[in-house]
Amino acid sequence: MQKMGKQKNKTASFSFWNWVIASIIFRLILIYFPKNLNLASRPEVSTPLTSFRRLAEGYWLKQLSMSPYAGFSFCFFFFSLCPTFFNFFFILIRQKKEMYLIFLVFGYSGSMYHGSPLLLSLLGPLTVKRIEGQPNHLLYSLVSVIADVVSAILIRATGKNLRLAYLRSLESLDIVQQTKASGEFFKILSPGDAAALIYLWNPFTIVACVGLSTSPIENMAVILCLYGACSRLVPLAAFGWVIATHLSLYPAILIIPVIFLLGCGPDAPPRKLFLQKNNKEEVLSKSKLRLGFSWRPITHFAFWALLWSAYVLVLCGISLKQFGGLWEMFKSTYGFILTVEDLSPNIGVLWYFFAEVFDFFRNFFLIVFHVNILFMIMPLAIRLHHRPCFLAFVYIAIFSMLKSYPSVGDSALYLGLLGWFVNELADIQFSFFLFCGYVGVSLLSPVMHTLWIWRGTGNANFYFATAMVYACLQIILVVEGVSAMLNHDRKLRNLATSKPQDAKS
Amino acid sequence: MATFINSKTIFRLLVLPCLLLYSSIAHNSSSVEATMHTNNWAVLVCTSRFWFNYRHMANTLSLYRTVKRLGIPDERIILMLADDMACNTRNKYPAQVFNNENHRLNLYGDNVEVDYRGYEVTVENFLRVLTGRHETSVPRSKRLLSDEGSHILLYMTGHGGDEFLKFQDSEELQSHDLADAVKQMKEKLRFKELLIMVDTCQAATLFNQLQSPGVLAIGSSMRGENSYSHHLDSDVGVSVVDRFTYYTLAFFERLNIYDNASLSSLFSSYNPSMLMSTAYCRRDLYQRRLEEVPVTNFFGSVMETIHTDAAYKALSRKDSGRFKAQMSLDQSVHHHERRTLINVNDQDEILNTKAEDQQGASTCPFTSFYEKLRKGENVDSLVNYGLVAMLPLLGVSSWLFQ
């Protein structure tokens, strides 16, 4: 029985690696298509923050000893080099009876590159390196592929961790037998494998990887942070958090799930369930779970986070010393994210609104949109503090939807992390509807974009409609996911507390 | 009476003059601040059509060639030709326009870029070019995109009279139209200095209404005088050049791009007996002395070249002041004396080492490292080392502090 179990495990892991290798091969095949299938020019894939062309331009500026965040006067030189059409978006849209709607999007271009200077040093040389006979950006694509694979491996490891914790918590609640008997248990899917494979084979991830955006690297940093926090590797978690925040601002709110992970441990049913059990049966010794909230890892985390942030900031300061230093960097990266300067269309909801908001109210609405993310942090933290990984998933879903420049790479992250909770979220409502919705939006969105921009038979509202539907789908996913998780907790509580009655029959 | 004058009234009485005074001071101070001469533009207009006005076309094309030869690129020349002489059916030499009967020079090569041609040369378009008030569909090549640092040469030739210039044989540009357009240009800061050169009969009368400062006007004849053509080319069959333009070209053919002949020498080269008219120069609106202004300020476009050994760094504010001083020196550079190579970085280093000496820097390795950092030579490699070192540091720390 045990041998068969081990063999089963081996075959399971073997097929996992099969799938990983198959996904690498698939990505390589797509990379070898001419011009990366023009995915890098799709607004869903490359945003002003993740665009490959902007990275190349920032690197080119740096090579000329100019600031990578240089402004308009220097932009003339390399429009010939990088024929970007999405930064000179002068769109004239005519409604039949209504007025001209002119979207002067980024026509008077300010700086192009808005990412981290460390990415410039790291990935910059790869943007220009060419190998004879191979596709143009092979090395850069390979970096994205490697980042994806590393993320998948880390997701799998974290998933294993989560599964172990889940099993332990079920054991300590003595409801393993019930859950097995009620037939909802582990013939299943190991959550780690499921999540890793979902992440690797998600069309969004593949498109973000082949489309040469920097999303795979940002996702890798977030996953590294969560892995470190789950495995109690405090320096790793701090490093991942610092890098993720540095690359894109929003993962900063993941500090809350990380604190809960380090303090309490991975996902578990609510603590009071254990206390109830313990009150009833006094099986304190059996429970291997740490019940209290320990502050030591938190202080370690704070120390390491400070250390890594100082390191990163010193490196950035050195690299930008002649170009205005850290303040320039903060203005061009965080300031750009927070002030939503670039209004090129993307699958988010901010660009349309900020294209028509009056200047007088612009700051007010910027605050509203950003607080929209912030005010959801506290209630969710209070409700889901016993499940930090799920809390992290919800936070990631929220900021992937409401960030200034979302892309499909961001959605790829939380869709992959959804796989960790396949067992808990097994009876999520509207799952088929959501799946069809995602497929539909990802097919319709390029069509609407083409209708609007290239054929002129549509207008911005067509494209924004798909963006709104996408946001709605994400909202439904988050809401239903949270309610499914809470239902699962409720079910566990019923199973745990009603055990004596079940034992009778 | 005294009861009606309370403090409020006094306040109101005082506020308005104060505001006026303040606005005038502000305006004056803003007009006093000096703008740098940054670019040169040329607007060359030929206003007459028909074959017998060949010479006006040749005039304009000769000026075009001169101005291009002395350095103004096509992007900054607006050439308006009211008729096509080169491909006219009466032209014995197709695609060729001469300004001399020796046919030595073909003015209509393959790099002539005409911006307004034929019936597009109207008074309306001319005024639109000057004032910059175009329809949105007008392409950039047809616009005068000058700014407050531009020197503009405006050359017009054709048939004219007392306070007017004839366009296309059907409409006229009057002197007050021209003055109004120039006034608008000045208001919109579209030029720093403007040289208007007109070669028509009674050309000087066209400048009667000009009032804007910074405008220098040269006309080929005074009121009541005609401007005559120079000679007849019996082969082509018409007069090929006007006298005023002929002698202007004779002056410029002796020059090349590095010469610093002044405007006064240009003007004094006009001999009334040879011109058969009196060339007139209106200089009361022009503050500078003509002896100090080189002709290349308007007719050419001389670029400053400063050789640096290091990589290109964007000009910072403090450097531009230094370049201003250098530019005033450059006025007296002759052709055989190329500009001495000023190494900007060397100057920087000299200043830095001087500062160091004053501070008495020690030879500590840390300070030398810091100096290297300040100079920014090994920045990239340092950042790369830092990035690479991150990974082992991460691994070691994770392993140690599990």
Side-chain angles (χ1 to χ4, degrees):
Chain A
M1 188 70 166
Q2 251 188 350
K3 215 165 85 171
M4 269 186 64
K6 265 197 187 158
Q7 263 188 354
K8 205 173 159 201
N9 273 345
K10 266 202 200 151
T11 49
S13 64
F14 183 61
S15 68
F16 169 75
W17 288 111
N18 269 355
W19 280 108
V20 169
I21 292 171
S23 77
I24 296 178
I25 292 175
F26 186 60
R27 279 173 169 76
L28 284 178
I29 291 175
L30 284 182
I31 288 169
Y32 270 85
F33 269 70
K35 284 197 175 182
N36 293 71
L37 285 173
N38 279 325
L39 280 171
S41 50
R42 293 234 61 88
E44 293 94 352
V45 176
S46 60
T47 65
L49 296 174
T50 60
S51 162
F52 169 75
R53 279 186 179 148
R54 290 180 186 239
L55 181 72
E57 197 152 300
Y59 178 69
W60 198 85
L61 281 175
K62 193 107 184 294
Q63 291 304 95
L64 288 191
S65 307
M66 286 190 240
S67 162
Y69 306 116
F72 176 70
S73 47
F74 303 122
C75 278
F76 279 126
F77 298 118
F78 25 84
F79 278 154
S80 54
L81 281 183
C82 312
T84 54
F85 55 80
F86 57 79
N87 73 322
F88 242 166
F89 242 161
F90 187 89
I91 316 280
L92 206 73
I93 298 144
R94 188 186 203 168
Q95 301 285 356
K96 278 177 244 174
K97 292 164 194 167
E98 292 146 31
M99 46 177 190
Y100 275 87
L101 257 181
I102 300 178
F103 277 97
L104 182 69
V105 180
F106 207 50
Y108 205 82
S109 66
S111 56
M112 289 280 285
Y113 181 64
H114 295 284
S116 153
L118 299 182
L119 269 188
L120 273 187
S121 313
L122 205 61
L123 297 175
L126 295 179
T127 60
V128 288
K129 217 164 160 59
R130 301 250 188 285
I131 307 179
E132 295 297 322
Q134 308 285 351
N136 268 347
H137 304 294
L138 184 68
L139 288 173
Y140 186 90
S141 322
L142 284 180
V143 169
S144 308
V145 171
I146 293 173
D148 273 347
V149 170
V150 168
S151 313
I153 296 173
L154 290 174
I155 290 180
R156 183 175 191 236
T158 320
K160 268 198 196 145
N161 228 323
L162 282 177
R163 175 188 174 174
L164 281 175
Y166 187 57
L167 280 177
R168 258 185 308 172
S169 62
L170 285 185
E171 270 176 20
S172 69
L173 286 178
D174 281 337
I175 50 176
V176 182
Q177 306 299 324
Q178 272 84 5
T179 43
K180 258 194 185 152
S182 55
E184 58 177 302
F185 208 56
F186 287 111
K187 349 167 175 162
I188 291 167
L189 300 183
S190 141
D193 286 355
L197 288 180
I198 292 178
Y199 183 76
L200 273 184
W201 280 97
N202 192 350
F204 288 167
T205 334
I206 296 179
V207 152
C209 173
V210 173
L212 302 174
S213 88
T214 57
S215 306
I217 298 169
E218 292 173 13
N219 294 349
M220 184 173 75
V222 170
I223 293 170
L224 194 68
C225 168
L226 289 178
Y227 169 72
C230 267
S231 333
R232 299 291 181 120
L233 292 171
V234 175
L236 198 64
F239 177 73
W241 182 74
V242 163
I243 294 288
T245 311
H246 177 68
L247 289 180
S248 62
L249 176 60
Y250 294 91
I253 61 176
L254 290 178
I255 192 170
I256 293 179
V258 162
I259 287 178
F260 284 133
L261 273 173
L262 290 175
C264 297
D267 287 12
R271 261 175 49 204
K272 58 181 181 185
L273 220 58
F274 296 107
L275 294 177
Q276 279 180 346
K277 290 290 301 176
N278 292 336
N279 279 343
K280 281 195 173 173
E281 297 184 5
E282 296 173 0
V283 212
L284 214 67
S285 53
K286 218 179 178 185
S287 114
K288 295 176 221 156
L289 292 169
R290 295 168 236 211
L291 278 187
F293 187 84
S294 53
W295 283 102
R296 269 190 78 238
I298 313 292
T299 47
H300 283 174
F301 177 78
F303 165 70
W304 279 103
L306 280 175
L307 190 69
W308 286 118
S309 1
Y311 192 87
V312 163
L313 287 177
V314 160
L315 277 186
C316 290
I318 293 176
S319 109
L320 288 178
K321 201 165 176 33
Q322 301 140 308
F323 309 125
L326 282 177
W327 178 243
E328 186 65 35
M329 181 188 87
F330 282 131
K331 234 179 10 165
S332 297
T333 54
Y334 292 173
F336 177 76
I337 294 175
L338 290 175
T339 56
V340 191
E341 284 170 9
D342 185 331
L343 297 174
S344 340
N346 48 52
I347 48 169
V349 294
L350 267 74
W351 58 275
Y352 190 88
F353 184 78
F354 281 103
E356 52 186 15
V357 73
F358 291 116
D359 277 338
F360 183 74
F361 294 107
R362 194 189 163 85
N363 285 338
F364 168 69
F365 279 110
L366 277 174
I367 295 176
V368 164
F369 273 85
H370 289 298
V371 161
N372 201 8
I373 304 179
L374 291 176
F375 87 86
M376 283 198 248
I377 296 180
M378 217 14 93
L380 282 169
I382 294 173
R383 193 67 182 87
L384 292 171
H385 65 93
H386 55 282
R387 292 189 177 274
C389 279
F390 187 69
L391 186 64
F393 161 75
V394 175
Y395 281 172
I396 292 174
I398 289 175
F399 75 65
S400 298
M401 175 173 56
L402 295 173
K403 70 194 310 197
S404 330
Y405 306 100
S407 72
V408 289
D410 303 317
S411 317
L413 179 59
Y414 73 78
L415 286 175
L417 297 189
L418 190 61
W420 279 341
F421 314 104
V422 276
N423 301 312
E424 289 95 337
L425 298 182
D427 38 2
I428 186 175
Q429 277 185 314
F430 308 130
S431 54
F432 183 66
F433 167 73
L434 284 173
F435 175 73
C436 291
Y438 268 94
V439 168
V441 165
S442 44
L443 289 178
L444 271 183
S445 166
V447 170
M448 295 303 169
H449 188 254
T450 310
L451 273 185
W452 174 28
I453 307 282
W454 297 112
R455 309 194 60 175
T457 50
N459 58 38
N461 300 320
F462 286 45
Y463 190 67
F464 187 60
T466 53
M468 278 203 292
V469 168
Y470 187 64
C472 281
L473 289 174
Q474 287 172 305
I475 291 172
I476 294 176
L477 177 67
V478 166
V479 167
E480 291 305 322
V482 170
S483 60
M485 184 60 83
L486 295 178
N487 276 340
H488 180 82
D489 277 344
R490 218 167 282 140
K491 207 187 323 187
L492 281 182
R493 191 183 69 208
N494 286 340
L495 280 177
T497 50
S498 64
K499 199 196 109 181
Q501 282 121 23
D502 276 13
K504 250 202 271 179
S505 59
Chain B
M1 188 68 174
T3 49
F4 291 107
I5 305 175
N6 52 11
S7 56
K8 247 193 185 171
T9 331
I10 293 174
F11 178 67
R12 279 191 205 135
L13 283 173
L14 283 177
V15 157
L16 191 57
C18 282
L19 281 175
L20 285 173
L21 195 66
Y22 175 71
S23 60
S24 64
I25 289 174
H27 180 72
N28 280 342
S29 59
S30 65
S31 61
V32 153
E33 83 185 28
T35 49
M36 244 166 67
H37 166 210
T38 48
N39 52 57
N40 286 357
W41 282 81
V43 180
L44 309 171
V45 186
C46 164
T47 59
S48 359
R49 51 177 36 245
F50 307 128
W51 173 247
F52 50 82
N53 291 320
Y54 185 104
R55 61 189 188 282
H56 296 144
M57 204 69 53
N59 288 349
T60 319
L61 284 171
S62 317
L63 248 301
Y64 175 76
R65 179 185 163 270
T66 302
V67 146
K68 265 183 93 160
R69 187 174 63 86
L70 293 178
I72 302 187
D74 271 317
E75 293 95 60
R76 292 208 286 274
I77 303 177
I78 309 257
L79 180 60
M80 304 171 79
L81 297 181
D83 201 358
D84 187 5
M85 298 304 167
C87 302
N88 196 308
T89 42
R90 292 168 77 166
N91 193 354
K92 185 181 170 195
Y93 297 93
Q96 286 166 322
V97 174
F98 305 113
N99 67 349
N100 200 307
E101 62 177 346
N102 57 23
H103 294 187
R104 206 166 41 91
L105 207 53
N106 173 20
L107 299 171
Y108 208 78
D110 51 2
N111 61 345
V112 169
E113 199 179 283
V114 182
D115 297 301
Y116 288 83
R117 63 191 70 225
Y119 285 108
E120 291 175 341
V121 180
T122 57
V123 175
E124 178 192 346
N125 280 349
F126 172 68
L127 291 177
R128 281 186 187 276
V129 164
L130 283 189
T131 54
R133 295 161 84 157
H134 293 280
E135 306 270 314
T136 45
S137 54
V138 171
R140 284 174 70 90
S141 59
K142 283 187 168 178
R143 296 184 190 226
L144 179 65
L145 300 167
S146 55
D147 53 28
E148 64 249 19
S150 306
H151 285 184
I152 303 183
L153 165 71
L154 173 61
Y155 174 81
M156 302 203 285
T157 179
H159 289 291
D162 197 353
E163 304 220 10
F164 72 90
L165 195 140
K166 192 165 71 161
F167 267 68
Q168 303 267 12
D169 209 24
S170 61
E171 52 181 5
E172 57 188 32
L173 171 80
Q174 299 195 330
S175 58
H176 56 81
D177 292 326
L178 183 63
D180 189 58
V182 171
K183 194 165 158 194
Q184 282 190 48
M185 288 172 80
K186 193 68 192 172
E187 275 297 311
K188 290 164 75 167
L189 300 176
R190 280 166 68 75
F191 66 91
K192 183 166 179 279
E193 291 175 14
L194 175 64
L195 171 62
I196 310 182
M197 188 183 252
V198 177
D199 185 2
T200 66
C201 304
Q202 305 185 53
T205 55
L206 203 63
F207 312 133
N208 279 351
Q209 314 281 342
L210 286 174
Q211 290 166 349
S212 315
V215 177
L216 183 65
I218 299 180
S220 59
S221 48
M222 306 284 296
R223 179 154 174 246
E225 290 178 356
N226 291 334
S227 295
Y228 295 97
S229 65
H230 190 258
H231 62 267
L232 169 75
D233 182 348
S234 45
D235 202 7
V236 175
V238 284
S239 305
V240 288
V241 70
D242 279 334
R243 283 185 181 259
F244 178 74
T245 309
Y246 180 82
Y247 289 110
T248 309
L249 290 174
F251 176 84
F252 278 106
E253 287 297 312
R254 295 194 309 257
L255 296 183
N256 62 23
I257 198 167
Y258 295 108
D259 279 333
N260 63 335
S262 68
L263 278 178
S264 62
S265 61
L266 167 67
F267 193 67
S268 49
S269 74
Y270 295 136
N271 188 344
S273 58
M274 302 294 282
L275 283 181
M276 293 165 72
S277 59
T278 315
Y280 165 76
C281 177
R282 182 169 176 186
R283 45 182 107 185
D284 59 323
L285 297 171
Y286 193 66
Q287 276 90 8
R288 297 169 66 183
R289 293 177 51 232
L290 291 186
E291 288 78 13
E292 295 167 2
V293 180
V295 287
T296 50
N297 261 17
F298 293 99
F299 288 88
S301 182
V302 184
M303 295 296 166
E304 285 269 334
T305 45
I306 296 169
H307 177 87
T308 58
D309 280 330
Y312 174 76
K313 284 191 178 56
L315 275 181
S316 54
R317 285 239 163 254
K318 58 179 173 63
D319 289 337
S320 62
R322 213 180 301 157
F323 291 147
K324 248 189 179 167
Q326 286 170 8
M327 270 167 65
S328 57
L329 291 173
D330 286 331
Q331 300 289 342
S332 50
V333 167
H334 285 289
H335 167 52
H336 57 274
E337 243 183 315
R338 301 280 166 140
R339 286 163 187 75
T340 52
L341 306 175
I342 299 173
N343 193 329
V344 180
N345 275 356
D346 279 344
Q347 276 204 354
D348 259 5
E349 286 188 9
I350 293 170
L351 288 172
N352 282 344
T353 48
K354 274 199 186 139
E356 275 178 27
D357 290 338
Q358 285 169 6
Q359 289 173 8
S362 61
T363 52
C364 177
F366 185 71
T367 44
S368 67
F369 170 74
Y370 189 63
E371 275 311 307
K372 266 194 185 170
L373 204 63
R374 240 169 22 103
K375 281 185 204 162
E377 282 159 11
N378 302 329
V379 158
D380 281 333
S381 48
L382 195 67
V383 171
N384 287 341
Y385 288 148
L387 281 174
V388 167
M390 228 195 269
L391 286 171
L393 201 62
L394 180 69
V396 163
S397 59
S398 315
W399 181 70
L400 281 178
F401 291 94
Q402 274 174 11

